[in-house]
């Protein structure tokens, strides 16, 4: 018998293999072992090469090679419900065994009905195993179906005709494999240091079709378990009817049965361990149908459960819904699905079809249709036909677009409704979004539409809350342009909501309607176009709130009897402040707008109607000063807070400085701001330590070159104590979205109650000077911009690579989602990582924000959204610095503040409330971008309204090209730092105005520290009077980067350029408009290069140009710098190019007969040439 065992095994294996081979078919030479059904259908499947005979349906080629055969059901003939069936050979699957049937299907067309897979027994009974309904897109899609043990069964594949001829259904590449269906992808877990075995791969997808449920396990610390089930749940009027994978009672899913637990009990199911080395997008389907449905939460558990990454509560309707959430990189983790039982039996919650993809998820609601329909779905209820994804022109001439909007090419994709037969007038196609969570912030749904044709019907957008559908946007009839922009406002939704896009067929065949590039943003907008306002809708006036006036704290600093106070709102006089004589002109006390247009405030800060002080720069040349000095002040407490409000709006804004003087010498400023700061009043505050001698405060305005540079101050105040301190262990906030509720500038030793972590490797350091290591860390703080200001940093000099320093904020309790804003500095050639967390109890969770690598020598704004579930639980912000490979990895932190509501998506800005996270650069350009509203100051150039609101009150950003601007002058606007682009892609979209006879150019660059900027978008010349949409793909996949908008001044004043409504999306896109161009899509590395005569010119303002550090012939590297060098008593105090402390490039070379220099007769510089940079060497 022993000798027979191997023969039996071989025989069984051969039988299994033979059965599998009977199913395997590419249809290149026939139907293999598959046969047409007899007597149970009306039509046969056909073999085909290339496209089917009807345009707008079926595949364009087979799946196997793209040029081979496939089989399909031709729907040009027949009636609704007619079938074509294909039958497999008979097979038997032994007890304890299973088989997986794999095939590819194409279901493209507006009349596609259904594709079904049955299991047919020897009694001729057919049990449905798998089904798909409706249009599934142009691509071939893989299906995998498990078949358990059975005897003498056949597989039947059935296509069902829909209501029209555009319903062809195709299949290709059928095969079977032994065992359960494998996952769609696998990933190797990280191997612990010293491990002797390699861990098993973990699936990145799970459809729960096998009892192993993909290695998911029940949590032992929860209240009850999830169930593995098929068909409907045990409780009536709740849960799904079928699974999502197969759509039949044969398919499996996981769910919680409400009858298993008490109200509010929790059930958690946990995935296998997954590596955290990269950012991933988790996609899954959920069922939350029932009147007592409670909550579904998703976590990424590292050591502890951490913070909720995704949450949804309440009845979401009958169908399976799609959800996506980004899991940031970090520690290895388990995905945890947590369901909370409701108050009654109608509260079952289900999950199915989990998929983990590379990169971040697209923002909710975004879709450009280049890779499918994203999270949008054709509804199977309450309409007559489907929206269809398409390329190129539609089947009917004189209607529909020729290209998509995303790429502007015939290869790009969009969605459309076909108005030809069998559609009739009034037929509806409805397209449904995912569910969006209620919010205290306004939302704006944006999309592009094409309504070209003489028979166009109606396009509607509904906002759906619960069972209520409200028409929010409606347009009928032919529209003038191929692609037009639409916006639908949603005002602070108090309930979860979704969108339905409804296309209604018009009076004839020339009525195709198309949509593309849909996005849902957190921003204020109006209905666009204005004639799309539905008849029943009412408009809501949009107002810009005035900054809230604060009542100054009463000062108890010593004031001589009878004298006037330092605190002053300037409504009556200057109080104890006086103009001084050692300046060039005086401050002016004023009410209302200043005398120069396009600069200065419209009213005071105190009431909007009172007085303030400002510097009238009309008639003043550059670098003139106006100084205001307080009376003598004697310290009575350890610290004193001097606070004030300032306004710096205009194209030619200079500098505002504040000095603290204990002697007649002015010294260096303790606080400084340069350039335009926006249209609103801003708050400044300086903590003054106790001084042995009396002191005065001096406020100085320095002019720039031009007459639109008025600087104003108001509501100065002197009070005891630090300007910012601990916000207390508990803060409950119930304020309006966007309002700042707490902040810390680290100016006091108490550092606002922040505490060092005792379990890390080293501590953060509080300082007001540059860090102790050269070539890393900031030279000044962010708050004051001087060496008088304080910040926190991690000193890397005596630490090992990977060592961590963590600091905790006080504990905060907030009533809703919050946005943490902060400034960070990560300059150094061996920079490590900066992470930000929101810690609840002992659960740190995954980073809310993370950056790695050198970000350049600058302070950068960062933002992190604290979810409502975390904010209401009581949390601490955790700032973590991770040391890099050597000492040049100091990380700094300053100016932490919190605003109510979610942070805007990184980089997005409407400019209605300032520059968001964008900044005018202080170096490298000649002037600034300016926030404005209404028209610009010059006629026949610039926009007349903004793009966001379409009103003269709305705000945009522009460059003013009037004098003193010169031809070729440039203005740079620089974004925050972004992480490298993933395989999902990244796209920037914006609106621009380039109206005027002498408009030069608008450019968009990618900026990476240490590299030359490279252009991704360019437009030049007069583009007409109106706002146009620009778009460009972002290609930096290796390092963190910033985006730079560059406006270039033309030959005269009629060249104003404006931008508005910048948005970023996770997608791959093309360049728009088609008239725009881009530079080469290659990164210009800073490398050694052979150059000809004259090519050595470099002022080092942006980088090293073509110069490179030697790698063999020296002992250390040259350093780009500004200001003084790191050692006292040596080196220049400024560069030669600008001749001031704004920017210094310290470069001197002496080596034998060679001499290279940047300079002339400033101290420390020697003049040898008229060039900015020159080399003298007879060998060159």
């Amino acid at each position: 018998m022993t000798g027979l065992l191997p023969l039996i095994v071989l025989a069984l294996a051969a039988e299994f293999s033979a059965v599998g081979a009977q199913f395997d078919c590419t249809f290149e030479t026939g139907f293999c072992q598959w046969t047409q059904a007899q007597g149970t259908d009306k039509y046969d499947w056909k073999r085909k090469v290339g496209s089917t005979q009807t345009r707008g349906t079926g595949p364009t080629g087979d799946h196997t090679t793209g040029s081979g055969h496939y089989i399909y059901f031709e729907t040009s003939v027949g009636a609704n419900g007619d079938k074509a069936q294909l039958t497999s050979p008979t097979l038997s699957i032994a007890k304890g065994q299973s088989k997986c049937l794999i095939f590819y299907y194409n279901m493209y067309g507006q009349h596609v009905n259904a594709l079904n897979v049955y299991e047919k027994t020897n009694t001729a009974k057919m049990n449905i195993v798998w089904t798909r309904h409706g249009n599934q897109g142009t691509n071939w899609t893989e299906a995998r179906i498990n078949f358990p043990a059975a005897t003498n069964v056949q597989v039947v594949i059935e296509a069902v005709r829909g209501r029209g001829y555009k319903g062809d259904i195709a299949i290709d590449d059928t095969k079977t494999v032994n065992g359960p269906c494998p996952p769609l992808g696998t990933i190797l877990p990280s191997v612990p240091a010293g491990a002797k075995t390699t861990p098993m791969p973990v699936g990145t997808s799970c459809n729960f079709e096998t009892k192993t449920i993909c290695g998911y396990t029940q949590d032992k610390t929860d209240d009850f378990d999830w169930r593995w089930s098929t068909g409907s749940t045990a409780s009536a009027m709740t849960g799904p009817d079928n699974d999502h994978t197969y759509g039949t009672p044969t398919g499996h899913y996981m769910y919680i049965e409400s009858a298993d637990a008490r109200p509010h009990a929790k059930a958690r199911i946990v995935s296998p361990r997954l590596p955290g080395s990269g950012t991933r997008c988790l996609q899954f389907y959920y069922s939350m149908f029932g009147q007592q449905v409670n909550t579904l939460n998703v976590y990424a558990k590292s050591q502890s459960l951490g913070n909720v990454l995704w949450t949804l509560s309440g009845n979401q309707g009958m169908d399976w819904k799609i959800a996506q959430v980004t899991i940031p990189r970090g520690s290895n983790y388990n995905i945890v699905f947590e369901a909370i039982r409701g108050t009654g039996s109608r509260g079952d919650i289900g999950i199915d079809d989990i998929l983990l993809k590379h990169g971040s998820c697209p923002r909710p609601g975004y879709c450009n249709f280049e890779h499918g329909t994203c999270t949008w779905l054709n509804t199977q209820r309450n309409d007559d036909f489907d929206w269809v994804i398409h390329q190129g022109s539609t089947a009917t001439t004189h209607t529909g677009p020729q290209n998509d909007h995303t790429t502007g090419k015939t290869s790009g994709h969009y969605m459309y409704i076909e108005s030809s037969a069998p559609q009739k007038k009034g037929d509806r196609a409805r397209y449904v979004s995912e569910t969006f969570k209620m919010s205290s912030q306004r939302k704006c749904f944006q999309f592009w539409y094409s309504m070209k044709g003489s028979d166009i019907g109606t396009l509607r957008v509904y906002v759906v809350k619960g069972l209520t559908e409200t028409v929010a946007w409606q347009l009928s009839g032919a529209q003038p342009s191929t692609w037009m922009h639409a916006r639908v406002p949603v005002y602070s939704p108090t309930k979860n909501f979704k969108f339905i896009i409804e296309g209604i067929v018009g009076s004839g065949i020339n009525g195709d309607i198309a949509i593309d590039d849909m996005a849902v943003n957190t921003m204020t907008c109006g209905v666009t176009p204005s004639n799309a306002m539905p008849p029943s809708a009412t408009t809501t006036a949009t107002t810009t709130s005035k900054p809230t006036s604060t009542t100054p704290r009463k000062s108890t600093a010593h004031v001589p009897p009878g004298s006037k106070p330092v605190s002053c709102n300037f409504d009556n006089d200057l109080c104890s402040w006086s103009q001084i004589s050692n300046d060039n002109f005086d401050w002016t006390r004023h009410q209302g707008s200043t005398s120069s247009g396009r600069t200065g405030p419209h009213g005071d800060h105190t009431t909007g109607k009172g007085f303030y002080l400002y510097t009238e720069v009309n008639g003043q040349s550059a670098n003139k000063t106006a100084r205001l000095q307080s009376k003598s002040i004697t310290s009575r407490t350890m610290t004193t807070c001097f606070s004030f409000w300032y306004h710096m709006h205009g194209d030619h804004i200079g500098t505002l400085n504040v000095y603290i003087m204990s002697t007649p010498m002015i010294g260096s400023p303790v606080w400084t701001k340069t350039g335009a700061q926006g249209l609103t009043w801003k708050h400044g505050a300086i903590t003054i330590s106790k001084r042995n001698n009396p002191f005065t405060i001096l406020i100085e305005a320095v002019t720039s070159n031009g007459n639109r540079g008025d600087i104003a101050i108001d509501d100065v105040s002197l009070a005891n104590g630090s300007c910012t301190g601990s916000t207390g262990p508990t803060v409950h906030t119930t304020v309006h979205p966007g309002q700042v509720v707490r902040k810390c500038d680290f100016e006091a030793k108490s550092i606002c109650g922040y505490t060092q972590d005792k379990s890390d490797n080293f501590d953060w350091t509080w300082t007001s000077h540059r860090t102790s290591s050269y070539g890393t860390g900031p030279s000044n703080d962010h708050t004051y911009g001087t060496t008088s200001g304080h910040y926190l940093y991690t000193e890397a000099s005596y630490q090992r690579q990977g060592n961590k320093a963590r600091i905790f904020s006080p504990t905060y309790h907030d009533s809703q989602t919050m946005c943490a804003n902060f400034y960070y500095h990560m300059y150094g050639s061996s920079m490590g990582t900066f992470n930000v967390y929101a810690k609840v109890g002992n659960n740190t969770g995954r980073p809310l924000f993370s950056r790695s690598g050198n970000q350049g020598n600058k302070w950068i704004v960062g933002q992190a959204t604290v979810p409502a579930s975390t904010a209401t639980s009581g949390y601490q912000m955790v700032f973590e610095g991770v040391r890099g490979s050597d000492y040049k990895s100091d990380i700094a932190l300053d100016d932490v503040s919190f605003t109510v509501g979610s942070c805007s998506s990184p980089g997005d800005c409407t400019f209605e409330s300032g520059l968001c996270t964008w900044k005018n650069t202080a170096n490298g350009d000649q002037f600034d971008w300016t926030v404005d509203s209404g028209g610009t100051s010059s006629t026949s150039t610039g926009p007349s309204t903004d793009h966001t609101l379409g009103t003269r009150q709305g705000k945009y950003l522009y460059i003013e090209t009037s004098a003193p601007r010169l031809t070729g002058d440039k203005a740079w606007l620089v974004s925050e730092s972004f992480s490298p682009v993933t395989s999902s892609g990244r796209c920037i979209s914006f609106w621009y105005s380039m109206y005027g006879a002498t408009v030069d150019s608008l450019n968009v660059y990618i900026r990476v520290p240490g590299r030359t900027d490279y252009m991704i978008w360019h437009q030049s010349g007069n583009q007409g009077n109106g706002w146009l949409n620009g778009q460009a793909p972002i290609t930096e996949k290796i390092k963190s980067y910033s985006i730079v908008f560059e406006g270039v001044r033309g030959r005269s004043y009629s060249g104003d350029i404006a931008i508005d409504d910048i948005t970023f999306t996770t997608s791959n896109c093309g360049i728009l408009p088609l008239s725009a161009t881009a530079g080469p899509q290659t990164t210009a590395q800073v490398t050694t290069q052979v150059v000809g005569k004259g090519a050595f010119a470099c002022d080092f303002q942006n980088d090293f140009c073509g110069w490179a550090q030697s790698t063999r012939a020296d002992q250390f590297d040259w350093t780009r710098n500004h200001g003084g060098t790191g050692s006292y008593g040596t080196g220049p105090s400024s560069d030669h190019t600008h001749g001031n402390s704004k920017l210094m490039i310290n470069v001197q070379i002496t080596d034998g007969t060679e001499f290279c220099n940047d300079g002339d007769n400033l101290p420390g510089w020697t003049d040898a040439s008229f060039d900015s940079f020159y080399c003298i060497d007879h060998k060159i």
Side-chain angles (χ1 to χ4, degrees):
M1 185 66 183
T2 304
L4 292 175
L5 187 59
L7 296 176
I8 294 172
V9 172
L10 287 172
L12 288 172
E15 181 182 353
F16 245 60
S17 177
V19 172
Q22 291 175 336
F23 280 76
D24 295 356
C25 194
T26 63
F27 304 104
E28 293 304 324
T29 58
F31 284 83
C32 307
Q33 300 292 321
W34 294 85
T35 59
Q36 307 281 359
Q38 302 295 322
T40 57
D41 63 357
K42 191 170 182 179
Y43 292 95
D44 286 344
W45 291 80
K46 298 180 179 180
R47 288 176 64 240
K48 182 70 175 171
V49 175
S51 301
T52 64
Q53 68 185 49
T54 306
R55 186 182 178 190
T57 187
T60 56
D62 80 327
H63 174 263
T64 316
T65 64
S67 58
H69 289 79
Y70 59 91
I71 62 172
Y72 84 108
F73 175 36
E74 173 59 60
T75 58
S76 297
V77 295
N80 189 11
D82 286 349
K83 302 173 183 177
Q85 294 175 339
L86 194 70
T87 305
S88 76
T90 300
L91 78 157
S92 294
I93 303 173
K95 184 178 181 180
Q97 302 294 321
S98 64
K99 274 190 173 292
C100 176
L101 171 65
I102 301 173
F103 64 95
Y104 288 84
Y105 63 92
N106 180 287
M107 299 174 68
Y108 170 55
Q110 59 188 295
H111 307 136
V112 166
N113 191 341
L115 178 64
N116 302 316
V117 177
Y118 298 89
E119 181 185 67
K120 182 180 179 181
T121 66
N122 54 9
T123 62
K125 180 181 179 181
M126 287 174 52
N127 300 313
I128 190 166
V129 176
W130 180 98
T131 187
R132 282 292 180 273
H133 291 271
N135 173 43
Q136 303 294 316
T138 57
N139 297 327
W140 287 97
T141 305
E142 185 184 42
R144 300 184 180 191
I145 306 172
N146 281 307
F147 284 89
T151 303
N152 296 328
V153 296
Q154 292 175 293
V155 175
V156 178
I157 300 178
E158 173 188 79
V160 184
R161 188 187 190 273
R163 64 193 291 264
Y165 64 92
K166 291 187 176 181
D168 296 348
I169 297 173
I171 62 173
D172 200 4
D173 293 334
T174 61
K175 68 176 181 178
T176 57
V177 295
N178 295 331
C181 294
L184 295 176
T186 59
I187 188 172
L188 280 174
S190 301
V191 180
K196 296 182 179 179
T197 59
T198 302
M200 292 293 291
V202 177
T204 55
S205 65
C206 186
N207 59 17
F208 300 111
E209 291 305 325
T210 63
K211 285 185 178 181
T212 62
I213 58 173
C214 314
Y216 278 67
T217 56
Q218 306 283 356
D219 190 347
K220 303 301 182 184
T221 64
D222 56 4
D223 304 308
F224 68 114
D225 285 347
W226 289 74
R227 290 191 185 189
W228 181 59
S229 185
T230 62
S232 59
T233 66
S235 301
M237 298 300 292
T238 188
D241 293 327
N242 296 305
D243 83 324
H244 178 265
T245 316
Y246 295 173
T248 71
T250 303
H252 294 79
Y253 60 93
M254 301 298 297
Y255 88 104
I256 62 158
E257 172 56 57
S258 296
D260 289 349
R262 66 185 187 280
H264 308 298
K266 297 179 180 180
R268 288 189 287 268
I269 191 167
V270 184
S271 78
R273 196 71 165 170
L274 294 161
S277 54
T279 298
R280 291 190 174 266
C281 176
L282 171 66
Q283 176 182 292
F284 60 95
Y285 286 82
Y286 64 90
S287 169
M288 298 178 69
F289 169 55
Q291 293 303 312
Q292 286 96 36
V293 164
N294 194 335
T295 301
L296 176 64
N297 296 319
V298 180
Y299 301 85
K301 178 183 177 183
S302 295
Q303 300 303 318
S304 57
L305 196 58
N307 302 318
V308 175
L309 296 180
W310 183 95
T311 185
L312 192 63
S313 299
N315 183 9
Q316 302 300 318
M318 293 181 63
D319 298 322
W320 285 97
K321 307 291 193 304
I322 191 172
Q324 293 187 137
V325 60
T326 296
I327 301 178
R329 67 181 181 86
S331 304
N332 293 349
Y333 61 94
N334 306 87
I335 299 169
V336 179
F337 290 92
E338 176 186 72
I340 305 176
R341 199 257 198 196
T343 57
S345 61
R346 296 179 182 177
D348 296 350
I349 297 174
I351 58 172
D352 201 4
D353 288 333
I354 298 166
L355 178 63
L356 205 58
K357 301 182 289 186
H358 285 285
S360 301
C361 302
R363 69 176 63 185
Y366 176 79
C367 197
N368 63 11
F369 306 109
E370 296 307 315
H371 302 284
T373 60
C374 311
T375 58
W376 290 78
L377 298 170
N378 278 298
T379 182
Q380 301 302 312
R381 296 183 174 88
N382 302 322
D383 69 350
D384 306 293
F385 67 112
D386 284 348
W387 288 82
V388 180
I389 198 166
H390 195 65
Q391 294 172 282
S393 59
T394 64
T396 308
T397 57
H398 307 300
T399 188
Q402 301 297 311
N403 306 309
D404 80 327
H405 178 263
T406 314
T407 66
K409 301 176 181 178
T410 56
S411 58
H413 296 79
Y414 58 89
M415 294 293 289
Y416 91 109
I417 60 166
E418 172 61 58
S419 60
S420 303
Q423 269 73 263
K424 60 184 182 297
K425 184 177 181 179
D427 279 358
R428 302 183 304 163
R430 307 188 105 202
Y431 205 44
V432 185
S433 76
E434 63 185 286
T435 299
F436 299 89
K437 298 170 190 174
M438 61 183 178
S439 173
S440 60
Q441 298 168 286
R442 296 183 175 189
K443 303 292 182 180
C444 182
F445 173 41
Q446 303 184 74
F447 61 97
W448 290 81
Y449 63 94
S450 171
M451 298 176 70
K452 174 188 173 186
S454 58
D455 305 321
I456 291 292
T458 299
L459 181 63
R460 287 192 184 123
V461 177
Y462 296 85
V463 176
V464 184
K465 299 177 182 177
L467 300 177
T468 303
E469 296 181 2
T470 304
V471 179
W473 189 97
Q474 177 177 303
L475 207 56
S476 299
Q479 302 302 311
S481 182
T482 300
W483 284 110
M484 299 184 68
H485 187 235
R487 291 186 298 186
V488 184
V490 181
Y491 299 106
S492 305
T494 56
K495 294 181 178 179
N496 293 337
F497 66 99
K498 59 186 175 184
F499 298 100
I500 295 178
I501 300 179
E502 181 181 73
I504 304 175
V505 175
S507 57
I509 62 172
N510 292 320
D512 297 348
I513 299 174
I515 55 176
D516 202 1
D517 290 334
M518 303 190 296
V520 179
N521 299 317
T522 300
M523 60 180 281
T524 299
C525 67
V527 172
T528 303
S530 58
N531 62 333
M533 187 78 68
S536 60
T538 57
T539 59
T540 301
T542 302
T543 59
T544 303
S545 59
K546 178 184 176 294
T548 304
S549 175
T550 59
T551 302
R553 291 172 288 174
K554 185 177 180 181
S555 173
T556 57
H558 178 66
V559 179
S563 65
K564 295 181 179 181
V566 173
S567 298
C568 192
N569 63 14
F570 305 111
D571 281 343
N572 299 312
D573 55 22
L574 300 187
C575 304
S576 65
W577 294 81
S578 59
Q579 311 274 3
I580 61 176
S581 59
N582 64 342
D583 57 2
N584 305 110
F585 67 112
D586 284 345
W587 289 80
T588 301
R589 184 169 160 269
H590 191 70
Q591 187 178 27
S593 300
T594 66
S595 59
S596 301
R598 307 287 169 180
T599 188
H602 297 302
D604 81 326
H605 173 263
T606 316
T607 65
K609 299 179 181 179
F611 287 80
Y612 59 91
L613 298 184
Y614 86 104
T615 56
E616 176 55 66
V617 301
N618 195 5
Q620 302 292 335
S621 58
N623 296 315
K624 300 300 182 182
T625 60
R627 293 171 178 164
L628 191 73
Q629 190 169 23
S630 75
K631 67 177 182 180
S632 179
I633 303 166
T634 300
S635 299
R636 297 298 188 186
T637 57
M638 293 303 296
T639 56
T640 304
C641 177
F642 174 61
S643 66
F644 54 97
W645 290 83
Y646 62 95
H647 194 284
M648 300 174 70
H649 166 60
D651 306 317
H652 314 132
I653 293 293
T655 300
L656 179 64
N657 297 319
V658 180
Y659 302 81
I660 307 299
M661 297 172 54
S662 297
T663 69
M665 297 295 294
I666 291 180
S668 299
V670 298
W671 183 100
T672 186
K673 280 285 184 291
T674 299
Q677 304 296 318
L679 279 168
T680 58
W681 286 95
K682 307 281 185 177
H683 187 245
I686 303 168
T687 298
I688 305 170
S689 300
K690 185 176 181 179
R691 298 180 175 233
N692 294 327
N693 299 318
F695 63 91
T696 61
I697 301 169
L698 186 142
I699 302 174
E700 174 188 69
V702 184
T703 62
S704 183
N705 189 12
N707 61 2
R708 284 186 289 273
D710 296 349
I711 296 174
I713 59 170
D714 200 6
D715 291 331
V716 297
S717 173
L718 193 68
N720 292 331
S722 301
C723 295
T724 59
S726 172
T727 52
T730 303
V731 174
H732 294 274
T733 57
T734 54
V735 290
H736 301 293
Q739 184 174 340
V740 177
V741 295
R742 65 178 73 92
K743 58 184 178 180
C744 182
D745 57 16
F746 303 111
E747 293 306 324
K749 284 186 178 180
S750 62
I751 57 173
C752 312
Y754 280 60
T755 54
Q756 306 282 356
D757 185 2
K758 302 301 182 185
S759 63
D760 56 5
N761 306 112
F762 65 113
D763 285 346
W764 288 77
T765 302
W766 181 63
T767 189
S768 61
H769 303 289
R770 66 184 312 152
T771 66
S772 59
S773 303
Y774 193 75
T776 187
S779 54
N780 299 312
D781 82 327
H782 178 264
T783 316
Y784 296 173
T786 71
T787 55
S788 297
H790 293 77
Y791 60 94
L792 299 178
Y793 83 102
T794 60
E795 175 53 64
S797 296
Y798 305 105
Q799 303 299 324
R800 295 182 177 179
Q801 183 174 356
N803 278 5
K804 298 176 181 178
R806 287 187 290 267
I807 194 163
F808 300 151
S809 75
T811 299
Y812 306 126
H813 290 264
D814 296 312
S815 60
Q816 55 190 299
T817 301
M818 300 294 289
C819 178
N821 305 272
F822 48 88
Y823 283 84
Y824 65 96
H825 194 284
M826 298 177 68
Y827 168 53
S829 57
S830 54
M831 184 53 61
T833 300
F834 175 57
N835 297 316
V836 180
Y837 306 84
K839 177 174 175 281
V840 178
N842 293 322
N843 295 333
T844 302
R846 306 190 72 72
L848 302 178
F849 177 94
S850 182
R851 288 290 182 274
S852 296
N854 181 18
Q855 304 295 318
N857 191 3
K858 58 186 177 180
W859 286 100
I860 305 171
V861 66
Q863 294 184 317
T865 295
V866 181
S869 57
T870 300
T872 56
S873 300
Y875 66 99
Q876 293 175 283
M877 296 304 297
V878 181
F879 296 95
E880 177 184 73
V882 183
R883 200 257 197 188
S885 58
D886 70 23
Y887 71 92
K888 291 185 178 181
S889 56
D890 295 347
I891 299 171
L893 170 71
D894 204 0
D895 289 331
V896 181
S897 64
F898 293 80
T899 54
V900 176
S902 301
C903 305
S904 60
S905 296
D908 288 9
C909 196
T910 64
F911 304 109
E912 295 304 315
S913 301
L915 299 185
C916 308
T917 58
W918 293 80
K919 294 179 68 175
N920 280 298
T921 183
N923 304 312
D925 59 357
Q926 288 77 45
F927 66 119
D928 286 346
W929 290 82
T930 305
V931 177
D932 200 15
S933 60
T936 65
S937 59
S938 304
T939 58
S940 301
T941 188
S944 56
T945 66
D946 81 323
H947 178 263
T948 312
L949 305 176
T951 68
R952 292 186 63 82
Q953 290 72 43
K955 298 179 177 63
Y956 57 87
L957 214 59
Y958 88 111
I959 60 167
E960 173 57 60
T961 56
S962 303
R965 299 279 66 86
L966 302 175
T967 301
D969 279 0
K970 299 175 182 179
W972 285 346
L973 185 74
V974 184
S975 75
E976 62 184 286
S977 176
F978 301 109
S979 296
V981 176
T982 67
S983 58
S984 302
R986 191 158 172 80
C987 180
I988 181 173
S989 176
F990 56 94
W991 290 82
Y992 65 96
S993 167
M994 298 177 68
Y995 169 52
T998 58
V999 165
D1000 191 284
S1001 60
L1002 176 64
N1003 305 310
V1004 182
Y1005 296 90
I1006 291 176
R1007 176 169 293 176
V1008 176
R1011 296 184 188 170
T1012 301
D1013 294 351
Y1014 64 99
M1015 186 187 296
I1016 59 172
W1017 190 93
H1018 166 80
Q1019 183 68 283
S1020 60
N1022 184 4
Q1023 302 299 313
N1025 190 2
W1027 287 100
L1028 302 171
N1029 181 231
Q1031 176 182 280
I1034 301 171
T1035 55
E1036 179 52 55
K1037 297 183 178 181
I1038 300 175
K1039 292 190 176 183
S1040 296
Y1041 64 93
S1042 299
I1043 295 295
V1044 179
F1045 278 91
E1046 178 185 72
V1048 183
R1049 198 258 193 188
R1051 68 180 186 274
S1052 186
Y1053 68 89
S1054 57
D1056 296 349
I1057 299 173
I1059 57 174
D1060 202 1
D1061 292 338
I1062 302 171
T1063 57
F1064 290 83
T1065 54
T1066 301
S1067 65
N1068 294 292
C1069 67
I1071 295 173
L1072 290 179
L1074 297 180
S1075 59
T1077 59
Q1081 296 299 305
T1082 55
T1083 302
Q1085 300 284 352
V1086 179
T1087 56
T1088 303
Q1089 52 186 300
V1090 178
V1091 292
K1093 183 179 180 180
F1096 295 93
C1098 188
D1099 62 8
F1100 302 107
Q1101 299 302 307
N1102 303 314
D1103 52 32
F1104 283 87
C1105 308
W1107 294 82
Q1109 308 282 359
S1110 173
T1111 57
R1112 293 177 297 176
D1114 60 357
Q1115 288 74 45
F1116 61 102
D1117 287 343
W1118 290 84
T1119 302
R1120 284 179 64 240
N1121 194 27
H1122 61 89
T1125 63
S1127 302
Y1128 182 76
T1130 186
S1133 58
S1134 65
D1135 78 321
H1136 171 262
T1137 311
H1138 291 285
N1140 58 41
S1141 59
K1142 287 185 178 179
L1143 181 64
M1144 186 283 292
I1145 311 300
N1146 180 20
V1147 180
Q1148 291 182 322
I1149 308 174
T1150 55
D1151 182 14
T1153 59
E1154 296 185 7
F1155 180 77
C1156 297
N1157 201 337
D1158 177 3
D1160 59 6
N1161 292 322
L1162 293 172
W1165 297 107
T1166 302
D1167 186 17
S1169 170
F1170 59 87
D1171 288 327
S1172 176
F1173 181 92
Y1174 61 84
C1175 285
I1176 299 176
D1177 179 24
H1178 295 290
K1179 293 180 288 185
I1180 293 179

